[in-house]
Amino acid sequence: MTDYEVATAFLGEWGHFQQQVFFLLCLTVIPNGFSGMFIVFVADTPPHRCVIPANVNLTAAWRNHSIPLELDSNSGALVPSKCSRYRLGDVLSLSDRGFLPGVDVNMSNVPTESCLDGWEYDQSVYISTIITEWDLVCDDRWKNPLTSSIFFCGVLTGSFVSGQLSDRFGRKIVLFVTMAIQTVFTFIMVFAPSWPVFCALFFIVGMGQISNYVAAFVLGTEILSPKVRTIYSTAGVSLFFAAGYMFLPLLAYFLRDWRMLLLGLTLPGFLYVPLWWFIPESPRWLLSRGRVEEAEAIVRDAAKKNKIKPPPVIFSPLQKELQCETSKALNICDLLRSPNIRWISLTLWLVWNTLTIAYFALSLNTANLHGNAYFNCFVSALVEIPAYTLSWVMFRWWSRRLSLSSTLFMGGVFLLFVQLMPANLVYLSITLEMMGKCAVTTAFAIVYAYTAELYPTVLRNTALGACSMASRIGSIIAPYFIYLRSYSVSLPYILMGSITVASGLLSLLLPESYGMPLPDTISHMQHFPGCCKKTPYKLTNTEEKEKVAEGTFSLEQGASLLSA
């Protein structure tokens, strides 16, 4: 029985067609690098203190001592309070009577009050953020991590919907529709009048962001040849994602008003409209839907671009195999239908969940690190370059399972070491955190490509969407891992390090896909340890065909039955 990759081998590995698809799809990933991370600057909290109205007649001494000092939980030093001031009426009375603070008056006996007149914010780093514009501090500081969590709720929703839409309506149309959603709603966010409106729009941006990323990833994986696919799925899309991530702090450095920053990040999205006429639909997906003529037209066009003469018939035998399975509509429930695919799915969901917690918590934490926020964010993006390069090297020449397990394990170890560093070795702690981020990023790049290799064409986009959807539980709670810093600086690192090490060990249970052909049907999938490859008794012909669709039969059994 003819395999898709055998049928299209005449196109070659790296012709004009493959180069065009590779680079254009990589370009579509760039906005994803900054659309999910701009919240680092847009929702950063600058130093602030209670406003003392200018029209209050206080002496210079009392105006300078109107804010009480409190112990900073991170540095251990006394700093001005961010959320309270001495009661203004009492301070005004003492000032009018000529008393001096700290000399004639014991300041610990002066009662305090909340910031009744608002806050004043340091503008040395930011002109404005959503925190300063809507006063999301003190009693409203819980809204800060919730803003990021709402974005990831949108990502969760997009993961659930887009995978099934892509498998039903096509990779290309979902890619461009969701790119448009991401761009248009980011632009509308510039005019958000309030925090609830901002969050609602941010939710929709999250839906578009993950949807177009997964669609572009799957589209390239299915079109490109095996060797080029490895480069694309590990280093290709990931390096362009990192390029967008690195672009973010550079633009944010020059645009320090959050509305202007979002406007600057929106404009590149409108440049992608012409790509509709240059990026083709996936021939694999067209075959899985029975649209053989359209698939052949794309492959023949590819042959023309590569200056190669195609054979008279390309896909007929393969279509018979795919049509047998796709005659029954597949959906997200099929990821749990048979024991083999169920255990693979559950294990991957746990691994993905851990990776999103570690990756996004470390990425969102850059504003809290010692030093310049723009530089820290740039370094956090920069460490992804060697991470993605390493992921390609490991994916090209090493076991998929061991690559994922080792990078997860090492990432967890680095994060556990962070909390062991003395407080005065700040830069060593940052170095360990960046090494942990590098290892986690490597694992993230590997797991995307590994997952795409484990699942068949008829379920690949749905499976990737489901894995992404399951992992969003981790990304939703990731901002609250950073929020734990207010209780203990080391607590986030202990939690992230522990679950990352545990997931590294768990990933050893996954089947190996290195050197295996990309599966087209459920019966082609690799087997999870402990799942039976043979049926224990003889079945009828009808029952056998049902078992092939469910993935119970081995590849050889299914192929012989289908050909019959």
Side-chain angles (χ1 to χ4, degrees):
M1 186 167 290
T2 306
D3 179 79
Y4 174 87
E5 289 164 4
V6 175
T8 58
F10 68 91
L11 291 175
E13 292 279 346
W14 191 238
H16 177 73
F17 173 76
Q18 290 92 341
Q19 294 171 18
Q20 175 179 303
V21 170
F22 185 99
F23 288 110
L24 292 184
L25 284 177
C26 284
L27 283 175
T28 66
V29 175
I30 291 179
N32 294 303
F34 51 72
S35 65
M37 296 301 177
F38 64 64
I39 200 68
V40 171
F41 300 109
V42 168
D44 195 12
T45 305
H48 55 278
R49 52 184 285 177
C50 294
V51 168
I52 306 299
N55 59 355
V56 176
N57 190 20
L58 294 176
T59 63
W62 277 105
R63 188 171 288 277
N64 292 334
H65 289 79
S66 58
I67 305 296
L69 298 178
E70 58 184 22
L71 191 66
D72 183 73
S73 59
N74 294 330
S75 64
L78 288 173
V79 296
S81 174
K82 298 178 180 179
C83 300
S84 64
R85 68 186 184 187
Y86 290 116
R87 188 183 295 167
L88 200 55
D90 294 350
V91 170
L92 184 59
S93 175
L94 292 170
S95 176
D96 290 341
R97 293 160 61 186
F99 293 127
L100 292 177
V103 178
D104 302 316
V105 179
N106 184 356
M107 300 303 294
S108 61
N109 295 329
V110 179
T112 60
E113 62 184 6
S114 60
C115 301
L116 302 178
D117 296 298
W119 292 262
E120 59 182 18
Y121 298 91
D122 177 32
Q123 291 188 322
S124 61
V125 178
Y126 306 105
I127 296 176
S128 72
T129 67
I130 63 170
I131 306 299
T132 64
E133 182 159 337
W134 296 315
D135 289 331
L136 307 182
V137 293
C138 298
D139 290 342
D140 284 337
R141 64 176 180 166
W142 58 272
K143 294 180 179 179
N144 191 345
L146 181 60
T147 305
S148 297
S149 294
I150 288 173
F151 169 80
F152 289 117
C153 286
V155 173
L156 170 64
T157 306
S159 301
F160 178 75
V161 174
S162 66
Q164 297 185 72
L165 290 177
S166 184
D167 280 335
R168 182 173 296 272
F169 298 107
R171 287 44 167 140
K172 179 179 176 179
I173 189 169
V174 171
L175 169 64
F176 282 92
V177 168
T178 53
M179 284 178 65
I181 290 174
Q182 177 182 337
T183 301
V184 170
F185 280 89
T186 304
F187 178 74
I188 298 174
M189 287 173 68
V190 175
F191 308 99
S194 63
W195 178 74
V197 174
F198 179 92
C199 289
L201 295 170
F202 204 22
F203 176 89
I204 299 174
V205 171
M207 290 180 59
Q209 192 253 11
I210 189 62
S211 300
N212 67 64
Y213 183 87
V214 172
F217 184 89
V218 172
L219 184 57
T221 300
E222 293 182 349
I223 291 179
L224 298 171
S225 57
K227 291 183 180 179
V228 180
R229 180 196 310 141
T230 300
I231 302 174
Y232 173 81
S233 59
T234 52
V237 291
S238 302
L239 287 174
F240 279 77
F241 178 92
Y245 190 4
M246 291 167 58
F247 173 71
L248 171 63
L250 297 177
L251 186 63
Y253 181 81
F254 294 102
L255 299 177
R256 303 199 178 196
D257 175 84
W258 73 269
R259 294 182 188 273
M260 291 299 101
L261 175 58
L262 289 186
L263 183 61
L265 294 175
T266 299
L267 296 178
F270 294 101
L271 301 177
Y272 288 96
V273 175
L275 298 189
W276 172 268
W277 290 275
F278 297 95
I279 295 177
E281 181 56 271
S282 166
R284 283 182 184 268
W285 176 82
L286 290 171
L287 288 173
S288 72
R289 308 305 295 180
R291 294 156 63 175
V292 186
E293 294 79 8
E294 294 176 61
E296 285 204 4
I298 291 174
V299 174
R300 293 185 187 281
D301 182 65
K304 182 178 180 181
K305 290 180 178 178
N306 289 354
K307 298 180 179 179
I308 296 172
K309 184 178 180 181
V313 179
I314 302 176
F315 288 127
S316 293
L318 176 64
Q319 174 56 20
K320 293 177 183 178
E321 175 186 357
L322 289 177
Q323 188 62 32
C324 180
E325 183 163 319
T326 56
S327 59
K328 186 181 78 171
L330 301 179
N331 54 47
I332 195 170
C333 295
D334 289 281
L335 298 177
L336 299 172
R337 197 172 300 280
S338 66
N340 182 54
I341 195 170
R342 182 188 307 130
W343 283 110
I344 290 175
S345 297
L346 291 175
T347 304
L348 283 172
W349 292 348
L350 289 172
V351 170
W352 277 65
N353 200 44
T354 300
L355 280 169
T356 51
I357 290 175
Y359 178 83
F360 287 108
L362 292 173
S363 298
L364 296 173
N365 191 46
T366 53
N368 297 319
L369 299 179
H370 179 78
N372 184 279
Y374 299 102
F375 179 75
N376 290 336
C377 183
F378 183 80
V379 172
S380 180
L382 187 64
V383 297
E384 296 194 6
I385 300 297
Y388 294 137
T389 305
L390 178 62
S391 72
W392 171 74
V393 172
M394 298 178 77
F395 212 76
R396 179 68 177 85
W397 285 289
W398 206 27
S399 160
R400 311 310 198 218
R401 180 171 52 197
L402 294 180
S403 297
L404 178 62
S405 177
S406 60
T407 50
L408 272 169
F409 186 84
M410 290 305 301
V413 170
F414 285 131
L415 295 179
L416 288 173
F417 279 159
V418 170
Q419 52 93 24
L420 300 177
M421 294 299 105
N424 59 322
L425 298 178
V426 177
Y427 292 104
L428 180 57
S429 298
I430 294 177
T431 300
L432 285 173
E433 181 168 341
M434 291 302 166
M435 292 175 69
K437 169 78 183 297
C438 182
V440 167
T441 303
T442 304
F444 217 150
I446 290 172
V447 79
Y448 254 101
Y450 189 16
T451 302
E453 286 190 346
L454 288 176
Y455 286 102
T457 300
V458 291
L459 271 174
R460 186 170 296 116
N461 214 95
T462 296
L464 271 172
C467 286
S468 182
M469 178 187 67
S471 72
R472 295 314 151 187
I473 299 173
S475 60
I476 288 169
I477 65 175
Y480 290 95
F481 272 71
I482 306 306
Y483 192 67
L484 292 175
R485 288 176 59 93
S486 59
Y487 302 100
S488 171
V489 177
S490 60
L491 185 57
Y493 299 109
I494 295 173
L495 293 176
M496 285 189 291
S498 300
I499 62 175
T500 304
V501 168
S503 292
L505 298 176
L506 179 66
S507 63
L508 290 173
L509 296 175
L510 291 168
E512 183 57 67
S513 64
Y514 178 69
M516 305 293 182
L518 200 65
D520 285 316
T521 64
I522 293 177
S523 59
H524 290 173
M525 292 181 65
Q526 302 301 317
H527 287 269
F528 193 87
C531 288
C532 224
K533 297 186 181 181
K534 296 182 180 179
T535 54
Y537 57 90
K538 181 67 176 176
L539 301 172
T540 66
N541 192 52
T542 302
E543 290 173 328
E544 286 176 341
K545 291 184 178 180
E546 292 177 353
K547 290 296 182 182
V548 170
E550 292 174 359
T552 307
F553 273 15
S554 67
L555 172 61
E556 293 80 7
Q557 290 172 311
S560 60
L561 175 63
L562 289 169
S563 59

